[in-house]
Amino acid sequence: MKGNSNLPPAFILKIMEERNATLSTKEQEEALQYLYVQHELYPCETTINHALIRLLNQCGNYEQAKMIGEQYLTMSGYNQDILSELANVYQNLNVMDQYFALIRQYTTDDETQEKEEETNIIPFPKKMIFQKANVDFQELSSHEQLLFLKEMSREDLTIYQDSFYTFLKDQYASPFVKSAIFEVLQEYQIDDDIQITKLDLEGFFNPKTYKPSYLLERVENEFAPVLENENPVLFKQFLQIMQHHYFIMYPFSFTPDSASLWGESYLIWVKEMYGDDDVHQGDIKPEIQKCLDFIRKIEEYGQNYLL
């Protein structure tokens, strides 16, 4: 840390080294207090910003995390760790269009950027330029791949279709990018049986004939009447985590296709995340435990492939 010889407290180092590490309420409060002070002293220090954004994201303070991340990028320029952390923030806020616009700042040349009117974000320093005519999709970062897919035309798809099919079969490729590729293939009504691997799952999907299960909508309809009134904050976290995991898995589906089972399982998962002990391990039914084990697997899998 520039000008600061003190190491962060152990529990802050823990959340930086282990993304799934959980802190007690007291540790969260102490960590935030420490990081806010350090951020005031060293506003451009990458480690402090990274830890603060991650902790705010874990605590559900997405707007604050977004603001701090944008301030850092404005002052210090491109940083992949900060952008990766912000990807989850923007997704939780359901403003991925802003995230794509942010990434575009690094991939658009000066002349083009002057002609564009980006009104939803502040300008950020650019890192690199790529042109679609000579892009090696495999060599792009996940950020750049997602932006590339968002701006893709039908003509581009024809050029890169074989490359996308290879990417979808690669068990080590980003699940987020795979989901975005499949959405593009759906948009252009590609009528092929395509092999996709994710989360130790493998299957063939036809983008044109794919039928969604609408599990998320069914879960929301079933649990909203009670949760939305009793605990709206919990309900929001409950839906956001399910949406995040659904996107990681897409186009694979949750099995079994039961809104009640998965809704109850995710509710227990979210309560445990926030230290709610109203459900004891001995009271969990075997079918719920099986779902919880799978949720944990999705979470760990997703964290290994951060944007």
Side-chain angles (χ1 to χ4, degrees):
M1 244 178 282
K2 299 175 183 177
N4 183 9
S5 60
N6 296 322
L7 287 174
F11 50 82
I12 295 179
L13 294 176
K14 182 180 180 182
I15 66 168
M16 296 307 297
E17 294 169 359
E18 305 173 36
R19 171 170 285 275
N20 292 321
T22 57
L23 302 181
S24 67
T25 302
K26 182 179 180 181
E27 286 177 329
Q28 283 186 350
E29 291 173 353
E30 291 178 358
L32 284 173
Q33 183 178 13
Y34 171 85
L35 289 170
Y36 276 130
V37 171
Q38 294 298 310
H39 185 260
E40 286 292 322
L41 294 173
Y42 311 102
C44 294
E45 169 55 50
T46 303
T47 303
I48 292 299
N49 279 273
H50 191 192
L52 184 53
I53 294 168
R54 176 171 293 184
L55 186 56
L56 288 170
N57 192 27
Q58 290 181 357
C59 295
N61 297 334
Y62 305 125
E63 290 288 355
Q64 183 75 4
K66 178 174 177 285
M67 181 188 72
I68 288 172
E70 290 178 349
Q71 287 176 346
Y72 172 89
L73 293 171
T74 302
M75 293 185 292
S76 302
Y78 176 90
N79 182 279
Q80 186 165 341
D81 289 336
I82 298 296
L83 280 170
S84 294
E85 210 65 53
L86 283 175
N88 283 336
V89 174
Y90 279 76
Q91 186 168 2
N92 284 322
L93 288 171
N94 196 26
V95 289
M96 286 303 286
D97 281 348
Q98 292 185 26
Y99 181 76
F100 290 128
L102 188 160
I103 299 300
R104 188 180 294 113
Q105 300 293 323
Y106 298 109
T107 57
T108 306
D109 60 56
D110 290 329
E111 183 179 352
T112 303
Q113 186 174 337
E114 288 175 4
K115 295 178 182 178
E116 293 181 349
E117 293 184 3
E118 298 290 355
T119 58
N120 57 344
I121 64 167
I122 53 180
F124 293 92
K126 297 186 295 298
K127 178 203 174 192
M128 63 172 291
I129 298 170
F130 65 76
Q131 301 296 331
K132 288 183 181 178
N134 55 14
V135 164
D136 183 345
F137 185 79
Q138 307 282 353
E139 294 301 317
L140 297 177
S141 69
S142 295
H143 310 281
E144 293 158 354
Q145 286 172 336
L146 289 171
L147 178 61
F148 184 88
L149 291 166
K150 183 176 176 61
E151 298 184 340
M152 172 159 287
S153 68
R154 183 77 190 215
E155 182 180 348
D156 295 324
L157 180 60
T158 302
I159 298 170
Y160 290 99
Q161 197 165 338
D162 288 343
S163 178
F164 291 162
Y165 287 7
T166 300
F167 190 94
L168 289 169
K169 289 190 291 186
D170 183 356
Q171 63 176 322
Y172 300 109
S174 166
F176 302 98
V177 177
K178 288 181 181 180
S179 297
I181 289 175
F182 192 77
E183 287 183 333
V184 169
L185 297 175
Q186 284 184 291
E187 179 183 352
Y188 290 112
Q189 292 286 288
I190 300 303
D191 191 10
D192 284 337
D193 289 328
I194 302 166
Q195 183 180 355
I196 301 177
T197 60
K198 277 188 180 184
L199 199 69
D200 298 329
L201 301 171
E202 183 176 317
F204 287 83
F205 299 88
N206 186 310
K208 184 176 181 178
T209 60
Y210 177 79
K211 303 294 183 184
S213 68
Y214 298 106
L215 178 68
L216 290 180
E217 289 87 344
R218 288 187 282 122
V219 169
E220 183 173 2
N221 291 336
E222 182 172 333
F223 286 80
V226 176
L227 284 180
E228 211 166 18
N229 294 320
E230 287 187 357
N231 195 333
V233 174
L234 178 67
F235 183 58
K236 182 180 179 181
Q237 296 295 323
F238 166 76
L239 287 182
Q240 285 175 339
I241 291 175
M242 279 205 73
Q243 288 166 354
H244 183 62
H245 288 183
Y246 181 86
F247 188 72
I248 290 174
M249 288 186 62
Y250 189 76
F252 290 96
S253 304
F254 288 89
T255 303
D257 185 30
S258 167
S260 298
L261 181 61
W262 286 104
E264 186 177 349
S265 300
Y266 269 97
L267 191 56
I268 293 172
W269 174 264
V270 174
K271 286 181 177 180
E272 287 181 350
M273 282 179 59
Y274 289 93
D276 190 333
D277 290 331
D278 67 346
V279 177
H280 300 286
Q281 292 297 320
D283 299 330
I284 296 177
K285 301 174 183 177
E287 61 269 27
I288 295 289
Q289 187 59 57
K290 188 175 180 180
C291 290
L292 289 172
D293 292 341
F294 188 73
I295 292 169
R296 185 174 295 105
K297 184 177 180 180
I298 299 175
E299 183 69 17
E300 292 173 354
Y301 177 70
Q303 298 297 352
N304 289 332
Y305 291 94
L306 284 173
L307 297 174

